[in-house]
Amino acid sequence: MNKNHRVPSNRSLSAVEVKSKFGAEFRRFSLDRSKPGRFDEFYGLLQHVHRIPNVELLVGYADVHGDLLPINNDDNYHKAITTASPLLRLFLQRKEEADYTTFGTDSLTRKKNTVLSAVLLRPDTNRKKTPVIISLPRDFRPVSSIIDVDILPETHRRVRLYKHGQEKPLGFYIRDGSSVRVTPQGLEKVPGIFISRMVPGGLAESTGLLAVNDEVLEVNGIEVAGKSLDQVTDMMIANSHNLIITVKPANQRNNVVRSGGGGGASGSSGRSSDSGASYYGYSSQGGVAAAVSMPSHIIQNFPVGELESDEEDEDLVIEAGGEAEPIRRAPSNYSMPTLPRYEPHLNLRNANARRSLEEDGTVITL
Amino acid sequence: MMKFRFRRQGTDPQREKIKQELFAFNKTVEHGFPHQPSALAFDPKLQLMAIGTKSGAIKVYGAPGVEFTGLHKDTTAVTQIHFLPGQGRLLSLLDDNTIYLWELVAGAPREVVTLLHFLHPLLLLSATRVTVLLLLRSCDLLCIGTEGGGVYFLELPRLTLKDSQTLGEVLDSEAFLPDDYRCGKSLGPVESLQEHPQQPGKILIGYSRGLVVLWDLSTRQVEQLFLGKQQLESLVWERSGNLFVSSHNDGGYSVWTVTNGNTCNQQPVSSTIPYGPFPCKAINKILWRTTQTGSPVLLYSGGMPRASYGDRHCLTIQQDKEHVTLDFTSRVIDFFTVHSIEQEKEFDEPSALVVLLEEELVVIDLQNPGWPSLPTPYLAPLHSSAITCSFHISSVPPKLWERLVNAGKAQQGRQHAHGSWPICGGKNLAPPPKQQELLLTGHEDGTVRFWDASGVALTPLYKLGTANVFHTDCDPCDDPQDPSNDPDMQQEEEWPPFRKVGCFDPYSDDPRLGIQKISLCKYSNKLVVAGTAGQVIVLGLSDERSDHMVDVSVVDLLQDREGFTWKGHDRLEPRLKPAPFPPGFQPLVLVQCLPPASVTAVALHAEWNLISFGTSHGFGLFDYHRRNAVLARCTLHPNDSLAMEGPLSRVKSLKKSLRQSFRRIRKSRVSGKKRTITTPTSKVQEANAALAEQEDVAPVQRRIEPRSADDSLSGVVRCLCFADTFLRDGTHHGPTLWAGTNSGSVYAYALEVPGVGSGRACERGGAGESSVCVEAVLGKEIQLMHRAPVVSICVLDGRGKPLPDPYEASQDLAIAPDMTNAHSVLIASEEQLKVFSLPKVSAKTKFKLTAHEGCRVRKVALVAFSSTAQEDYSEHTLVCLTNLGDMHLFNIPALRPQVRYDCIRKEDISGIASCVFTKNGQGFYLISPSEYERFSLSAKVITEPLCSVQLDRPLEPTPALQGSPPLACCSRSLCGFLPLTGQTEEPPSALSSPILDTPLDSPLSCADLTLDSTGELTVEDVRDFLTTVDEAENNLKNIKEEEGRSTGILIN
């Protein structure tokens, strides 16, 4: 089971004491910090110790700041274990809301979803609108990431848009055009596909990773050279639930500079938005500059990056991707450890969070 | 992520070999009537007919099954074709003033020499445009009449200009010509050139201004002059050469005698305007044929009174008192008679008249009294009413075949004489088909036509009308079914004595009658046709005429869904009184869907007596044995309001809009009668058409958005299928119904059919079978995540083979399906192919075609391919036609790509939409509204022309060509033509082998082409005569430039 879990050894208390509360009942037990196992085993263990084998649970824990954070996948489970000092306090709740099956980062539920049940994937509409407390894990989902920075030429950018369960439209248009290539014979004009328009408020625009006049080079790993506009359209739509576009940005000034040093800043910005207008970015320290409506504003002149988002009127989005990708180890599932935090803490904990991420070696994915 | 790469099967040589034995792509035959014909010719010696088209194709037809095709490299209209009788060669004149010489060779017809670029297109002088060609009977001289009035002579077959003989200046200088006949300096365009029938070397030259000159080639002198008063249209000799007839612009014709010694003839013997006295249109062409019995037969096109019938397309046949005006529905292109050509015979004795119209070929039997029309064994006008759908049945049981043939004969017997087909050149060498194949076409006017598709010639077998099930504005029974009945009565009162001929009729009484879907069970002879107004008709085959009422059921597919109002057309009114139904397929039950939207899918299971049908609103299941509706299910999404707007909503339905545009084209082409029936839908159509055009103009930009449930028309049912399989559990199989929608939903129902299925169904059925009804229980609902339209659903048995058709298993006509191992279901959406296991419906294999290739699935078929090497080896393969027009073949159930072929141009959306596959690896698609291209994906099953023609000439390359590389052939069928003189002469290998090596339609085949010196010389010579010095230099420059670019350019 615990074959290749990368667990930090610096905080090496061998055992983690766990206090688990369900309703009025408490259970206490301990876990091996170096071998925490996987989340679903842990989940089973909880059900076992509480003798509630068939009850669906929401698992939360109190982090160092006293916030209640969810545990719903391996990554935040590991995070909870590693940050527990020394006691890990758990709070269990019944999963009462029927809409919990909503697709999210919850790997447990995800597994139950087959393609067939995609009917269920339609996010349920009455969930949002409550002025949200950032808490429940299902509200956190990666919306975009820059990937493969290490293997792509610096002039290119590979962007992943996570459409799953989003209410937002992808929100961009493509067109035919021509680009200039350098060939042994000199410059040559070749036909190409370009982003022609962004829909305000759409996913593409909100990520700021794509901009008008960016040239589309690949769609989910398949080169578009030689393909017609309609073909590329069809390919993008066919991959729309998990679209990976490699572009050559029209604005080359914001390219990732790889030499910037391995582990870079990661920015995750969570943005809540009760009503819109506000967006939050890290304005201070080496954070990510987030741009909202003008894609050309995005500056990512430091290693990595990405991230940022927009205001959206109902949904909370926490971008997970915000991790550098020093070396990609196992391409883990993209359901990334989201780091749910309350807004006020963001800046405070930024460095902290970053360090621990690095320690964890959690990776973004692809 | 990189695993997305096109999965490649290892290049297992063993597998590659098997693939070669199974798959091969060939376009084999074109069925139907050539689109936009523009020229016609007949070789009386070989009995071959040639038709040229506006797109530059030449098709040669002989006896049924004998056909050849050639394609000019340019898509320039062929304006004239002339056979070199008996030689298997022909000359074609194109619209761009070029002349090509073609010959039939072993393998295919091919271009031999292409003569002159008469002039470089840029330098075209009006004076030098070629107007007419005349090939002398000796076949060694070609006379070319031009617009400028000059007549030039070319030697054949080298096509070199005889510079010593140019006629024009000679005549110009004839001082005695009245000035009326001059057009400036020259005599005006040459309208007609005709060789004297008895005295070779004398030609009649007719100028447009009415002047006719009899010219003697040997003495180079004018023998006689005839001064016509009217503008000339055409000339024809009488067989004896004693007189000739000219036809004129004013609708009249004149008869002139040719008597020696009289050099200038002012007056014709007689002059007649047959449809006068009011102004008439021109008689474009006239023929004068003598008969033994007395009066000559006079045939001419046009000449109708301008005001009253100026818009009719007519051809008149006249002999003595007999006078018939054939009234066609489309323009007359050209016509000829088949008559005796032996010199010693005294009379022409015409046996048949062949008329090429814009939309069909009509043949009139001139030997039988009344001049009845003959059924054509090929060149059938498929599009007599626009084709709306098609369906193919292979291996038709002989019994059904016979009954269909009989029913068809009964229909034809009333209309056609039983004369023999007059064009019977060549010999069909194709073996008789091993099995009979039927192609069913559904038409806009509510008819279903049954075609014999077993061989090269697509022949009509039987025509089924469905309009008589309904009460329509113009009741079909009031219409004269038989056009030959009426004219007899009309003859007395009406002048001209019109007779409607031909079957091309683009006007539909009611667009709601259009057929959308067809399904036929060949074992039980049950046919289901479904149409535009939600009508689904179940028909049975009967050999007796019958008057009966048709049972009518209405199925409400909305199922009390609220908030929808149907804004489309009304449903058709069923006929209330019993209608007479002729032998053939007779309607039993009519099911009408509500709302009456067009039927988008049907399925028939004759063994269970069930039909299922789907529209844009839902689908229904009907038991036609007990006459009760079993199930109606609404598939509408609540947000989908467009579905209610009518049959044609704004949603991009390319198929439909294309069909509309075809209709528009046709409307504009067929001038004349205007249809101004304002149906409720016509406004919607117009609006939609306007909208569609707007869309075209919009800047090319595509929105990237996943499909959502809110997309309009998401509820359209795209496919339906019955299967006996495991839906509830893995141990009991039973009847099931599957339906797939436009938004990627699949509904699977378990059916309880009394007396069918294992387990429960039987037990219950035992209680009292007659009282038990069919029941349907929803078993599974599947939503494909990508929400792409479901194109096809098919259940595979335990061995991964498709289930056999109804009756095949129970009657031991096919290998019984494997019911012991787990079944699976293959669901093909526009984006993905997927196999799910049953009954759990978990995904087993898939292929994401769109994600990889950027193309979408349009048509899917499961085809059994047999091997060329092993007699009994065959594989079931999934054939996918995509929106790019290419065919992808996948094995099942593993869904591994096997081969890919480019088949249809991706711009040809109607072609892609019309494609149907046969069960053994062939297919058909429309290349024009009137033609099916037949293709084969199988290496074994190929239907292509195999024929021979006995020629006068040895099968040698023409002398002019010796030493030069053979020119590439432009034929589609490589082995379609066998050695002509039969088995005695081997075709020279130098000739045949390069042809066989040349890839079809390859651009290389043009590039290789080098022109022999003859061609170049020819061009220069011609230039000298026809251009001024400056132009000549220009010309030379042009030619040199062209030579620099490509050696083949002169041919273009």
Side-chain angles (χ1 to χ4, degrees):
Chain A
M1 66 181 231
N2 41 9
K3 354 178 206 267
N4 51 3
H5 283 300
R6 308 167 290 274
V7 176
S9 54
N10 55 353
R11 243 184 277 240
S12 52
L13 277 175
S14 63
V16 179
E17 199 181 344
V18 182
K19 180 182 175 188
S20 170
K21 179 173 185 268
F22 176 68
E25 287 187 50
F26 287 96
R27 294 285 186 278
R28 284 176 179 273
F29 56 94
S30 65
L31 290 170
D32 187 345
R33 191 189 293 273
S34 59
K35 293 178 180 171
R38 287 180 309 154
F39 170 70
D40 41 355
E41 291 157 356
F42 175 65
Y43 188 82
L45 179 65
L46 290 176
Q47 285 181 322
H48 177 71
V49 299
H50 283 278
R51 315 210 172 194
I52 43 171
N54 294 318
V55 176
E56 292 271 86
L57 296 173
L58 272 185
V59 185
Y61 76 102
D63 79 342
V64 284
H65 304 283
D67 298 325
L68 181 65
L69 297 179
I71 300 181
N72 57 7
N73 60 30
D74 287 359
D75 298 302
N76 53 16
Y77 167 53
H78 294 158
K79 169 64 77 182
I81 294 287
T82 52
T83 57
S85 54
L87 182 67
L88 176 63
R89 288 188 295 153
L90 297 178
F91 302 91
L92 310 186
Q93 288 173 281
R94 282 175 197 274
K95 270 185 199 176
E96 265 148 5
E97 294 160 51
D99 67 341
Y100 197 63
T101 49
T102 305
F103 203 86
T105 52
D106 184 337
S107 61
L108 201 61
T109 21
R110 172 113 199 262
K111 275 187 189 125
K112 292 187 203 148
N113 282 324
T114 61
V115 184
L116 307 184
S117 56
V119 221
L120 303 173
L121 300 187
R122 256 186 289 148
D124 140 338
T125 43
N126 48 18
R127 168 168 55 88
K128 34 226 77 193
K129 263 316 160 202
T130 39
V132 180
I133 308 145
I134 301 178
S135 62
L136 289 181
R138 62 170 183 273
D139 290 334
F140 296 91
R141 201 184 325 99
V143 291
S144 65
S145 50
I146 293 188
I147 56 176
D148 293 347
V149 177
D150 51 340
I151 54 169
L152 284 176
E154 287 173 9
T155 50
H156 296 179
R157 181 188 300 161
R158 187 168 289 167
V159 177
R160 176 175 200 151
L161 299 174
Y162 303 82
K163 171 67 182 138
H164 260 162
Q166 283 259 33
E167 288 293 291
K168 273 190 191 182
L170 276 173
F172 66 100
Y173 290 70
I174 57 173
R175 63 166 169 89
D176 278 318
S178 62
S179 72
V180 177
R181 290 277 144 76
V182 183
T183 66
Q185 291 80 38
L187 294 181
E188 192 185 33
K189 245 189 175 181
V190 293
I193 303 288
F194 295 84
I195 294 176
S196 63
R197 191 183 141 202
M198 295 291 213
V199 177
L203 184 61
E205 189 215 36
S206 67
T207 65
L209 303 180
L210 299 172
V212 171
N213 293 332
D214 284 1
E215 181 181 1
V216 178
L217 303 172
E218 288 177 0
V219 175
N220 286 51
I222 295 172
E223 286 192 29
V224 305
K227 293 205 156 56
S228 70
L229 183 62
D230 287 328
Q231 276 175 284
V232 177
T233 306
D234 286 339
M235 286 166 68
M236 287 189 174
I237 290 175
N239 289 303
S240 56
H241 57 285
N242 177 26
L243 184 59
I244 300 167
I245 313 178
T246 310
V247 292
K248 186 174 167 205
N251 178 357
Q252 291 281 331
R253 280 175 301 164
N254 296 331
N255 290 339
V256 172
V257 179
R258 219 176 290 140
S259 56
S266 71
S268 321
S269 67
R271 210 109 7 81
S272 90
S273 41
D274 353 2
S275 57
S278 61
Y279 81 86
Y280 302 84
Y282 301 97
S283 46
S284 54
Q285 20 178 276
V288 176
V292 183
S293 53
M294 304 287 283
S296 57
H297 289 174
I298 300 163
I299 299 158
Q300 308 182 119
N301 40 4
F302 50 91
V304 190
E306 60 122 288
L307 225 292
E308 101 4 268
S309 43
D310 60 325
E311 25 135 351
E312 187 191 358
D313 24 5
E314 319 120 298
D315 236 7
L316 279 186
V317 192
I318 276 217
E319 170 49 37
E323 185 34 68
E325 24 224 32
I327 319 125
R328 271 127 23 91
R329 302 171 210 167
S332 74
N333 209 349
Y334 67 71
S335 54
M336 248 296 291
T338 58
L339 291 180
R341 280 155 289 190
Y342 284 114
E343 198 65 48
H345 297 278
L346 276 174
N347 288 342
L348 286 177
R349 295 187 294 115
N350 191 21
N352 192 7
R354 192 191 315 155
R355 195 186 59 229
S356 49
L357 270 175
E358 281 158 18
E359 285 164 359
D360 280 353
T362 13
V363 208
I364 318 195
T365 97
L366 91 91
Chain B
M1 188 170 111
M2 293 308 171
K3 75 182 173 199
F4 295 152
R5 295 272 176 217
F6 201 76
R7 267 175 282 173
R8 193 166 265 175
Q9 268 200 316
T11 45
D12 174 10
Q14 186 66 30
R15 180 64 198 160
E16 292 303 312
K17 184 165 168 286
I18 293 176
K19 282 205 270 188
Q20 280 180 10
E21 290 163 3
L22 291 172
F23 313 121
F25 180 72
N26 286 299
K27 291 183 182 176
T28 51
V29 183
E30 285 162 15
H31 292 309
F33 186 75
H35 187 48
Q36 296 190 314
S38 54
L40 175 72
F42 182 62
D43 180 345
K45 276 194 188 156
L46 294 180
Q47 300 262 309
L48 293 175
M49 171 179 66
I51 294 178
T53 73
K54 282 193 180 156
S55 54
I58 291 193
K59 298 182 159 216
V60 179
Y61 298 88
V66 177
E67 49 180 273
F68 316 100
T69 304
L71 205 59
H72 290 95
K73 277 182 287 304
D74 286 348
T75 52
T76 314
V78 180
T79 53
Q80 289 181 43
I81 304 177
H82 296 269
F83 271 102
L84 282 65
Q87 296 188 8
R89 295 197 178 112
L90 57 88
L91 285 162
S92 62
L93 171 66
L94 300 196
D95 205 25
D96 63 0
N97 241 4
T98 54
I99 299 172
Y100 290 71
L101 177 61
W102 296 74
E103 72 177 350
L104 293 173
V105 294
R110 84 200 163 91
E111 245 167 280
V112 174
V113 169
T114 63
L115 161 88
L116 37 163
H117 231 185
F118 215 81
L119 273 181
H120 190 274
L122 292 174
L123 300 175
L124 265 186
L125 299 177
S126 63
T128 53
R129 194 177 165 77
V130 176
T131 50
V132 281
L133 299 181
L134 167 67
L135 186 65
L136 295 194
R137 264 192 309 283
S138 53
C139 285
D140 54 3
L141 198 64
L142 176 71
C143 314
I144 300 174
T146 65
E147 219 162 55
V151 178
Y152 304 89
F153 301 94
L154 292 177
E155 263 183 301
L156 280 174
R158 302 167 66 95
L159 286 171
T160 45
L161 191 78
K162 285 181 83 169
D163 54 345
S164 57
Q165 296 190 11
T166 304
L167 208 140
E169 301 89 19
V170 188
L171 281 176
D172 291 345
S173 56
E174 295 273 357
F176 55 87
L177 276 177
D179 279 346
D180 290 355
Y181 295 108
R182 294 186 186 275
C183 177
K185 270 196 297 180
S186 71
L187 293 170
V190 178
E191 279 298 329
S192 186
L193 288 171
Q194 297 293 335
E195 189 186 13
H196 195 288
Q198 303 298 335
Q199 303 166 22
K202 282 189 184 174
I203 58 170
L204 206 55
I205 305 165
Y207 291 92
S208 137
R209 300 216 150 190
L211 172 70
V212 180
V213 175
L214 182 61
W215 176 259
D216 193 325
L217 285 173
S218 48
T219 61
R220 309 201 57 215
Q221 270 184 356
V222 175
E223 200 153 281
Q224 275 188 61
L225 279 176
F226 305 89
L227 305 177
K229 294 279 179 295
Q230 285 293 334
Q231 201 162 329
L232 187 77
E233 290 286 329
S234 79
L235 291 175
V236 65
W237 280 102
E238 197 248 32
R239 191 180 179 96
S240 64
N242 295 328
L243 54 92
F244 70 89
V245 185
S246 60
S247 75
H248 301 280
N249 192 34
D250 65 343
Y253 64 88
S254 307
V255 182
W256 306 79
T257 48
V258 183
T259 43
N260 287 333
N262 185 4
T263 52
C264 188
N265 211 333
Q266 304 271 0
Q267 283 296 326
V269 179
S270 71
S271 205
T272 321
I273 300 181
Y275 295 108
F278 298 112
C280 291
K281 297 193 84 171
I283 293 182
N284 310 102
K285 177 174 178 177
I286 190 162
L287 292 180
W288 180 280
R289 298 288 178 236
T290 55
T291 60
Q292 201 160 9
T293 52
S295 327
V297 182
L298 193 57
L299 310 107
Y300 53 87
S301 62
M304 301 313 291
R306 188 176 292 274
S308 39
Y309 300 110
D311 55 351
R312 300 275 184 115
H313 311 289
C314 290
L315 192 147
T316 305
I317 314 176
Q318 240 181 301
Q319 184 182 25
D320 265 342
K321 290 257 158 48
E322 275 189 88
H323 186 129
V324 169
T325 311
L326 304 174
D327 183 9
F328 302 110
T329 48
S330 56
R331 199 161 58 85
V332 177
I333 305 289
D334 200 356
F335 59 96
F336 63 83
T337 57
V338 180
H339 56 269
S340 156
I341 48 157
E342 292 149 58
Q343 284 291 323
E344 56 270 22
K345 288 259 175 73
E346 199 181 336
F347 298 102
D348 286 322
E349 288 300 330
S351 59
L353 163 71
V354 179
V355 190
L356 177 68
L357 304 164
E358 193 152 43
E359 304 289 352
E360 63 187 314
L361 184 83
V362 169
V363 178
I364 303 290
D365 183 355
L366 295 177
Q367 281 172 321
N368 284 315
W371 300 319
S373 56
L374 285 173
T376 56
Y378 44 76
L379 284 170
L382 291 168
H383 61 317
S384 50
S385 168
I387 295 176
T388 45
C389 64
S390 42
F391 183 78
H392 183 272
I393 306 125
S394 36
S395 332
V396 179
K399 184 76 189 150
L400 168 61
W401 188 263
E402 194 187 314
R403 293 173 72 183
L404 277 176
V405 169
N406 288 337
K409 273 189 188 145
Q411 284 181 331
Q412 277 189 356
R414 294 178 301 162
Q415 292 174 21
H416 294 293
H418 297 278
S420 58
W421 182 245
I423 303 161
C424 48
K427 208 167 140 196
N428 184 7
L429 301 178
K434 289 195 201 75
Q435 53 169 21
Q436 305 293 354
E437 287 180 48
L438 264 183
L439 182 69
L440 273 59
T441 52
H443 297 263
E444 202 181 27
D445 62 354
T447 57
V448 178
R449 280 157 219 254
F450 290 63
W451 307 91
D452 176 358
S454 329
V456 169
L458 190 72
T459 356
L461 281 182
Y462 166 71
K463 175 179 146 185
L464 164 72
T466 60
N468 56 356
V469 178
F470 304 100
H471 177 79
T472 50
D473 291 341
C474 62
D475 204 295
C477 289
D478 303 339
D479 272 353
Q481 285 281 322
D482 185 348
S484 59
N485 285 344
D486 273 2
D488 296 334
M489 310 184 318
Q490 291 170 358
Q491 203 154 6
E492 313 299 316
E493 48 225 65
E494 197 186 353
W495 179 259
F498 284 121
R499 170 159 135 215
K500 287 223 170 292
V501 183
C503 55
F504 176 72
D505 175 19
Y507 306 111
S508 164
D509 296 332
D510 189 337
R512 294 175 297 169
L513 291 170
I515 305 294
Q516 297 295 333
K517 294 287 162 189
I518 303 173
S519 182
L520 172 69
C521 172
K522 61 188 177 187
Y523 302 110
S524 62
N525 305 332
K526 288 281 186 300
L527 172 70
V528 176
V529 297
T532 307
Q535 73 270 34
V536 183
I537 308 169
V538 184
L539 304 103
L541 188 58
S542 163
D543 299 332
E544 302 297 325
R545 181 190 168 89
S546 153
D547 292 81
H548 63 263
M549 284 287 288
V550 178
D551 291 306
V552 181
S553 285
V554 173
V555 175
D556 179 14
L557 293 177
L558 278 185
Q559 291 290 294
D560 305 327
R561 290 282 277 270
E562 284 177 9
F564 290 122
T565 41
W566 170 251
K567 295 176 197 154
H569 48 228
D570 294 336
R571 75 181 167 115
L572 286 159
E573 286 284 315
R575 203 184 173 80
L576 296 173
K577 47 185 189 214
F581 298 109
F585 278 99
Q586 296 172 348
L588 304 172
V589 184
L590 165 67
V591 181
Q592 292 189 288
C593 302
L594 277 186
S598 176
V599 175
T600 53
V602 288
L604 163 70
H605 201 296
E607 208 170 354
W608 302 337
N609 294 316
L610 291 175
I611 53 164
S612 180
F613 40 87
T615 70
S616 46
H617 304 99
F619 58 94
L621 178 66
F622 189 86
D623 178 347
Y624 62 83
H625 181 60
R626 296 174 187 80
R627 310 276 204 265
N628 71 315
V630 180
L631 168 75
R633 159 94 197 211
C634 181
T635 53
L636 276 183
H637 187 269
N639 298 354
D640 184 3
S641 54
L642 277 178
M644 303 312 297
E645 287 194 352
L648 301 158
S649 81
R650 271 174 298 165
V651 179
K652 258 195 254 161
S653 169
L654 282 169
K655 195 175 166 184
K656 275 179 192 144
S657 65
L658 223 107
R659 217 176 279 141
Q660 279 175 9
S661 57
F662 267 129
R663 257 172 236 159
R664 278 200 299 272
I665 292 167
R666 228 178 22 236
K667 265 184 221 155
S668 59
R669 237 195 357 241
V670 182
S671 60
K673 309 173 212 173
K674 298 244 163 49
R675 171 172 66 160
T676 47
I677 305 166
T678 331
T679 58
T681 56
S682 66
K683 274 180 195 156
V684 183
Q685 283 181 6
E686 278 163 29
N688 284 327
L691 225 129
E693 273 157 17
Q694 271 175 16
E695 274 172 14
D696 292 343
V697 183
V700 188
Q701 175 172 276
R702 297 278 184 274
R703 197 165 91 105
I704 307 299
E705 217 50 72
R707 302 163 196 267
S708 87
D710 300 350
D711 284 350
S712 44
L713 288 197
S714 61
V716 177
V717 176
R718 292 289 297 266
C719 56
L720 289 161
C721 115
F722 286 108
D724 182 5
T725 188
F726 302 90
L727 186 64
R728 298 177 207 252
D729 55 63
T731 48
H732 302 93
H733 64 91
T736 58
L737 168 68
W738 298 75
T741 73
N742 230 11
S743 57
S745 301
V746 176
Y747 306 91
Y749 281 82
L751 309 181
E752 303 223 340
V753 182
V756 182
S758 62
R760 288 158 302 190
C762 274
E763 291 156 27
R764 273 206 224 164
E769 202 181 298
S770 55
S771 63
V772 182
C773 291
V774 179
E775 284 173 38
V777 184
L778 182 61
K780 297 272 189 320
E781 218 176 297
I782 304 168
Q783 173 64 55
L784 300 178
M785 185 145 81
H786 54 282
R787 294 190 174 278
V790 180
V791 177
S792 154
I793 302 174
C794 175
V795 174
L796 308 175
D797 74 359
R799 289 181 296 256
K801 303 252 179 295
L803 295 180
D805 285 341
Y807 286 112
E808 282 185 344
S810 60
Q811 310 274 318
D812 281 336
L813 297 161
I815 305 162
D818 179 356
M819 304 305 272
T820 54
N821 292 308
H823 283 198
S824 48
V825 60
L826 167 66
I827 298 181
S829 77
E830 278 194 4
E831 292 183 358
Q832 298 185 5
L833 311 168
K834 243 170 178 168
V835 174
F836 299 97
S837 66
L838 288 176
K840 240 190 86 199
V841 195
S842 54
K844 277 166 72 180
T845 51
K846 70 174 165 188
F847 189 84
K848 294 162 92 177
L849 190 68
T850 309
H852 296 160
E853 309 277 304
C855 53
R856 270 176 294 166
V857 178
R858 285 279 175 260
K859 299 272 171 173
V860 157
L862 280 168
V863 170
F865 284 93
S866 9
S867 164
T868 48
Q870 296 151 271
E871 194 56 46
D872 52 348
Y873 182 77
S874 77
E875 273 185 27
H876 284 275
T877 303
L878 180 71
V879 179
C880 281
L881 171 66
T882 71
N883 63 332
L884 303 180
D886 45 3
M887 299 279 179
H888 295 253
L889 275 61
F890 299 89
N891 65 358
I892 54 166
L895 297 180
R896 283 213 190 84
Q898 301 296 304
V899 267
R900 199 194 132 263
Y901 301 109
D902 287 328
C903 180
I904 310 177
R905 282 180 313 113
K906 72 176 177 199
E907 296 81 17
D908 185 6
I909 298 165
S910 71
I912 294 172
S914 64
C915 185
V916 283
F917 296 99
T918 76
K919 289 207 158 164
N920 52 20
Q922 298 193 67
F924 304 85
Y925 66 91
L926 287 172
I927 46 176
S928 72
S930 57
E931 282 167 293
Y932 274 110
E933 174 80 63
R934 188 184 190 121
F935 62 89
S936 183
L937 295 163
S938 163
K940 191 173 188 187
V941 186
I942 297 174
T943 306
E944 61 186 351
L946 208 59
C947 44
S948 71
V949 175
Q950 196 81 20
L951 298 184
D952 289 354
R953 64 177 161 91
L955 190 66
E956 303 260 331
T958 35
L961 277 182
Q962 264 165 4
S964 69
L967 303 182
C969 80
C970 297
S971 161
R972 291 173 175 276
S973 68
L974 277 179
C975 37
F977 192 64
L978 285 184
L980 347 132
T981 31
Q983 292 58 24
T984 49
E985 292 190 45
E986 273 297 297
S989 58
L991 189 94
S992 57
S993 62
I995 290 169
L996 292 174
D997 292 342
T998 315
L1000 284 183
D1001 297 327
S1002 153
L1004 285 177
S1005 61
C1006 312
D1008 290 345
L1009 227 151
T1010 40
L1011 205 72
D1012 59 308
S1013 56
T1014 323
E1016 286 175 47
L1017 277 177
T1018 310
V1019 172
E1020 271 183 69
D1021 286 348
V1022 173
R1023 196 166 14 89
D1024 281 345
F1025 285 97
L1026 297 176
T1027 59
T1028 64
V1029 179
D1030 285 352
E1031 283 160 354
E1033 276 170 11
N1034 273 342
N1035 231 356
L1036 195 63
K1037 218 188 293 167
N1038 279 319
I1039 287 163
K1040 279 181 180 153
E1041 277 166 19
E1042 283 161 12
E1043 279 166 358
R1045 266 187 285 136
S1046 146
T1047 47
I1049 197 80
L1050 287 176
I1051 314 218
N1052 289 329

